[in-house]
Amino acid sequence: MSSSTLKSLLKAFKSKKPKKSGSNLQPVDSVSTGVVDSTIQASSSSPTASNDPTGALSFFNNASNFQIQDFKYVEVKNQASAKSPGWDLLVEKTAHTALYDSAARFDRPKCDDDTRVEVLSEIMGWVQDQEAPTRLLCMTGPAGAGKSAIQQTIAEQCSRLGILAASFFFGANDEARNDALPVAATIAYQLCLTSATLRSSISAVVDRDPLIFTKSIEKQVTTLIVNPVLHLQAANLSLVDLPYVILIDGLDECKTEERQAELLEAIDSCITSNKLLPFRVFVASRPELVIFNALQPYGHLHQVAYHIQLDNKYNPDFDIERYFRRRFRVIARRCRDLQAQGHLWPSQTDLTSLVVAASGQFIYAATVVRYVEEPRGSPVNRLKAVLSWTLGATTSHPLSSLDELYRQILLKARQNYRDVDNSREDLVMLIRMAHDTLLRECYNRDKILFSELGGVDSLLYDLRSLLFISRPSEETDKLPTEGAQKPVALQAHHWTFIEFLSDERRAKDLFVCAGEYTDYAAGSCLAYVDRIIACDEGTVRKDNPMLSSCAWIFHHLISTSWMGLRTIGAIERLLELNWWDWLSLDYTPMGGKLVYHYCIIIPMVQHALSYRYNRPELGKQLAASWETWVRSSGILDLYRRKTRPASPPDFQECERCGLVVVKDRPDAVLCAPRQVTFDAPPSLPPPSSL
């Protein structure tokens, strides 16, 4: 073969820079390989590379009479400095709050030293035994049993060992991680961080199909995870050093059972059943219907999953007592109460009572500790109060002790709140209003509803053992105008507290229905509007951003159809002021991604005013003006732009309002194309949480 032929052949394989003879080519961002079947002769003792006029580098320039056998070329493309639309889109679709080390997961639970030793040892033994036949581990246990703490601890241990490939922690109250759709993208993103080669391959996949994130979970897992990893093997790159542990926590907190089942099926069919892949998957969940059925003898995971049930086999009482002892010693060292610093506090009798009350639930123990270590008051007196509350708990359901603890903490906090000012609104009602996830998307909510109360922070003085505040990120939360403010998010340390507040049977006299705080919020909105108008000497400026914020808050409140006297009075007053003019699209909650399906909401609200509250004329007036605003404001066009489907098979379009809805979701049922008449009072469905 001539020198010119050799040069032409080798120029087809490009490299950023020449490699020394005999050096190993390490993949950086992307790899392409090729085999030269020809036998090439040369007399050169050391091949060199020189710059080609075209800008590429060519090997063995001007060389002749040498031989290369079984030549394999690995091309290295360093994309670290190059922008990749595929990578940017993958980052955008990643649920960053679902990562095990995300700052958004405030006060992440994990196991104390010397607790849960047996179960942690069993899990880590399974994780590290890559020859074990089962590559899927399912851990189930009741609410508060410590599943998330175990997962967090395993994640940190695997990370230190360099074997953690990815994690996804579901959260029922976090819109970014309460659905299984972003799981594949989030895992793929983390895999990209472990291998630059994978990053290049996965980014290229997204470049080719930017709509991959709208496909089924199985399709996403196959395209974003399985195929790129298999391509590494096809390129003869070893997977030995690739991290292999994938952790998924809180599957039961995924908002629909259909998505839960779809994710489990994708994990089984695409990952754990594929012997060519190195991954081992650990899923933790409450034993809810989907995973319970899948693990039964007739279920599809029964033969393929290693199942750990968090029960008395692992002696949680011993771990809980050890946890109490350690934490109380820390509290005693930090406080100034001499009673707590003696070796007799707490007594063995007190510890035994606490362990019995916990009933194997670590969330009970964690809540007690957070309450006792609060700086207000003596820890000794606080512990005495907790012990007295355990006497009022019943054994009618597994969470009775926890409910009684929640109840007593709330009662004490509410009393302290009233002692400051007896004219204050009920603390529990304000907590429910502050936690409303849709009100939280309305700009300037805190100024309008909580400014006179001292802000949302003032609600937490005696409730920091149950609640915390998450503040919006200035970098990620874009505001419509400079004066706009994104509300803070009031969140619970554990979702069982929100369940407690929302369940009348469990909360009893502490239960506050949505109508109560809706009515209060409507009255507060109207009062704020009147103050603005008074400051402007009676004139109404349509461009006032605070009026826009008030209007959108009120728009959300009446959309629920829960009303009281103050809400109805506010409707009458705001209709007089023609408040529709204030609904600036710039202040639409979530920038238009929070969609209101007016074809069902407006008739539902009209029906409520006509039949539930006996105000048919007001209902007709509100509906007519509302429909006029919907047609003329451009709101439907905004919603269509923000929610236009990328994958038609998974979506449908309402024939009445033209908005897109996702199949098999509650809003799809509400917005289904059907004729609705309200000539006679039909049975009214529960107000939508749209």
Side-chain angles (χ1 to χ4, degrees):
M1 180 180 293
S2 68
S3 173
S4 59
T5 304
L6 174 62
K7 182 177 179 181
S8 299
L9 175 64
L10 293 180
K11 279 175 60 180
F13 300 95
K14 300 176 184 177
S15 177
K16 293 288 186 180
K17 58 183 180 180
K19 296 293 180 180
K20 292 182 180 179
S21 175
S23 64
N24 292 324
L25 290 178
Q26 298 299 326
V28 177
D29 271 313
S30 70
V31 175
S32 61
T33 63
V35 176
V36 180
D37 295 325
S38 303
T39 299
I40 308 172
Q41 302 289 333
S43 60
S44 172
S45 60
S46 177
T48 60
S50 63
N51 288 322
D52 183 89
T54 63
L57 291 174
S58 60
F59 294 100
F60 314 116
N61 195 31
N62 300 321
S64 62
N65 301 321
F66 62 88
Q67 178 176 315
I68 299 177
Q69 291 180 327
D70 297 326
F71 175 70
K72 181 176 294 182
Y73 178 86
V74 180
E75 179 183 6
V76 180
K77 294 180 181 178
N78 187 351
Q79 292 189 354
S81 60
K83 289 187 176 181
S84 167
W87 170 252
D88 292 341
L89 185 56
L90 178 65
V91 172
E92 178 186 334
K93 297 298 182 180
T94 296
H96 66 91
T97 60
L99 307 183
Y100 88 96
D101 54 355
S102 170
R105 294 179 55 239
F106 178 82
D107 194 21
R108 298 183 292 273
K110 68 175 184 177
C111 301
D112 267 24
D113 294 339
D114 299 328
T115 63
R116 314 304 296 225
V117 174
E118 186 178 355
V119 67
L120 288 173
S121 176
E122 183 175 350
I123 294 170
M124 286 305 297
W126 173 87
V127 163
Q128 294 178 288
D129 182 9
Q130 292 184 266
E131 301 302 320
T134 56
R135 298 197 295 147
L136 172 63
L137 169 61
C138 293
M139 180 178 69
T140 59
K147 300 181 296 298
S148 292
I150 291 172
Q151 275 279 34
Q152 182 69 29
T153 304
I154 294 295
E156 294 179 7
Q157 290 186 13
C158 290
S159 179
R160 285 194 294 269
L161 293 171
I163 60 176
L164 180 64
S167 62
F168 193 100
F169 283 69
F170 281 97
N173 295 318
D174 186 344
E175 287 294 325
R177 56 188 180 103
N178 66 358
D179 192 353
L181 269 183
V183 170
T186 306
I187 293 175
Y189 162 79
Q190 294 170 87
L191 287 175
C192 289
L193 301 183
T194 69
S195 165
T197 307
L198 274 178
R199 170 171 170 172
S200 176
S201 178
I202 293 172
S203 299
V205 167
V206 179
D207 275 333
R208 288 194 295 270
D209 184 7
L211 304 184
I212 183 60
F213 306 104
T214 66
K215 307 293 177 62
S216 69
I217 295 177
E218 181 178 359
K219 180 69 173 178
Q220 291 188 52
V221 170
T222 301
T223 306
L224 297 173
I225 300 171
V226 177
N227 291 345
V229 173
L230 293 180
H231 287 162
L232 289 184
Q233 290 182 320
N236 289 332
L237 295 175
S238 174
L239 300 182
V240 172
D241 296 328
L242 187 70
Y244 59 86
V245 180
I246 298 175
L247 306 178
I248 298 176
D249 181 64
L251 179 67
D252 55 280
E253 297 193 45
C254 177
K255 60 186 176 183
T256 66
E257 292 182 344
E258 291 77 14
R259 290 284 194 228
Q260 295 174 27
E262 188 181 357
L263 178 59
L264 286 179
E265 289 167 2
I267 290 172
D268 178 30
S269 62
C270 300
I271 298 180
T272 58
S273 296
N274 192 326
K275 304 303 182 184
L276 297 177
L277 296 174
F279 300 119
R280 304 177 74 75
V281 184
F282 175 21
V283 178
S285 174
R286 283 194 300 172
E288 301 292 1
L289 184 64
V290 171
I291 195 167
F292 177 83
N293 286 342
L295 293 169
Q296 292 304 300
Y298 54 80
H300 68 98
L301 296 183
H302 181 69
Q303 297 293 333
V304 300
Y306 178 39
H307 186 196
I308 291 179
Q309 300 181 67
L310 287 181
D311 51 24
N312 291 331
K313 168 190 171 184
Y314 296 99
N315 195 11
D317 290 353
F318 178 76
D319 287 333
I320 289 173
E321 181 174 341
R322 185 181 297 176
Y323 171 82
F324 273 131
R325 285 187 183 279
R326 178 179 290 109
R327 291 307 177 94
F328 285 148
R329 281 201 299 268
V330 173
I331 293 171
R333 286 197 300 267
R334 291 178 178 174
C335 77
R336 298 180 179 180
D337 191 334
L338 296 178
Q339 301 177 80
Q341 294 172 0
H343 68 280
L344 297 178
W345 185 83
S347 69
Q348 183 59 48
T349 302
D350 293 344
L351 288 173
T352 301
S353 297
L354 291 172
V355 171
V356 171
S359 302
Q361 298 161 345
F362 273 81
I363 182 58
Y364 177 89
T367 304
V368 167
V369 168
R370 282 197 299 266
Y371 181 75
V372 172
E373 68 183 0
E374 277 286 311
R376 186 195 294 263
S378 161
V380 175
N381 294 336
R382 282 181 168 263
L383 180 57
K384 286 179 180 177
V386 171
L387 291 167
S388 69
W389 301 338
T390 61
L391 300 176
T394 65
T395 58
S396 57
H397 61 84
L399 296 178
S400 58
S401 295
L402 186 60
D403 284 356
E404 186 62 23
L405 180 62
Y406 287 158
R407 177 180 173 77
Q408 294 298 333
I409 292 175
L410 271 175
L411 287 172
K412 189 172 181 62
R414 185 167 67 173
Q415 185 58 51
N416 290 341
Y417 192 75
R418 283 178 175 168
D419 287 344
V420 175
D421 184 354
N422 196 41
S423 64
R424 281 180 166 185
E425 296 294 334
D426 181 65
L427 177 64
V428 182
M429 184 271 292
L430 295 174
I431 291 170
R432 289 293 308 278
M433 182 173 70
H435 187 265
D436 186 297
T437 54
L438 297 186
L439 271 179
R440 200 166 69 200
E441 299 299 334
C442 297
Y443 296 110
N444 297 313
R445 179 210 66 176
D446 296 347
K447 291 181 182 178
I448 295 167
L449 300 182
F450 292 98
S451 60
E452 293 192 348
L453 302 170
V456 177
D457 298 69
S458 66
L459 307 180
L460 268 63
Y461 288 148
D462 292 287
L463 292 173
R464 298 191 188 279
S465 59
L466 304 179
L467 299 164
F468 68 94
I469 285 178
S470 174
R471 303 189 185 280
S473 168
E474 295 179 0
E475 291 78 11
T476 58
D477 295 313
K478 296 181 180 179
L479 300 175
T481 64
E482 186 177 344
Q485 181 189 78
K486 188 79 182 292
V488 299
L490 185 65
Q491 298 181 343
H493 284 292
H494 199 265
W495 56 267
T496 53
F497 178 61
I498 302 303
E499 278 194 343
F500 168 80
L501 289 179
S502 306
D503 190 333
E504 187 173 6
R505 294 169 299 178
R506 293 171 62 186
K508 300 176 183 176
D509 58 322
L510 290 173
F511 177 73
V512 175
C513 71
E516 290 185 49
Y517 71 76
T518 296
D519 207 38
Y520 170 78
S524 298
C525 262
L526 181 59
Y528 202 94
V529 167
D530 287 337
R531 287 198 297 274
I532 293 174
I533 294 175
C535 289
D536 289 342
E537 298 180 352
T539 60
V540 179
R541 292 173 44 219
K542 298 178 183 179
D543 61 342
N544 189 314
M546 294 307 296
L547 284 180
S548 290
S549 297
C550 286
W552 277 109
I553 291 174
F554 191 72
H555 174 276
H556 164 66
L557 296 173
I558 63 173
S559 295
T560 66
S561 81
W562 285 114
M563 304 177 195
L565 293 177
R566 282 190 284 189
T567 307
I568 293 174
I571 291 174
E572 294 175 320
R573 169 72 172 141
L574 292 174
L575 284 175
E576 292 176 8
L577 295 170
N578 194 26
W579 68 291
W580 307 107
D581 289 341
W582 312 338
L583 285 166
S584 167
L585 299 190
D586 290 337
Y587 279 77
T588 307
M590 292 181 66
K593 294 180 181 178
L594 176 60
V595 175
Y596 293 87
H597 292 283
Y598 296 111
C599 64
I600 185 64
I601 288 178
I602 294 176
M604 184 173 68
V605 174
Q606 180 181 358
H607 174 264
L609 283 169
S610 299
Y611 296 105
R612 188 188 295 171
Y613 305 109
N614 198 27
R615 296 294 301 272
E617 290 302 319
L618 181 61
K620 185 182 298 184
Q621 182 184 0
L622 175 64
S625 59
W626 202 345
E627 289 171 354
T628 299
W629 174 80
V630 169
R631 288 194 299 269
S632 62
S633 64
I635 185 65
L636 294 183
D637 291 335
L638 174 64
Y639 285 162
R640 293 186 188 106
R641 289 198 306 272
K642 294 292 184 180
T643 61
R644 178 56 52 191
S647 179
D650 294 330
F651 295 81
Q652 62 187 19
E653 189 174 90
C654 175
E655 293 181 2
R656 289 184 291 164
C657 69
L659 295 183
V660 168
V661 290
V662 182
K663 289 182 179 180
D664 303 321
R665 273 181 32 182
D667 57 343
V669 176
L670 288 173
C671 210
R674 53 190 169 87
Q675 189 65 32
V676 180
T677 59
F678 294 104
D679 297 333
S683 58
L684 189 67
S688 166
S689 60
L690 289 171

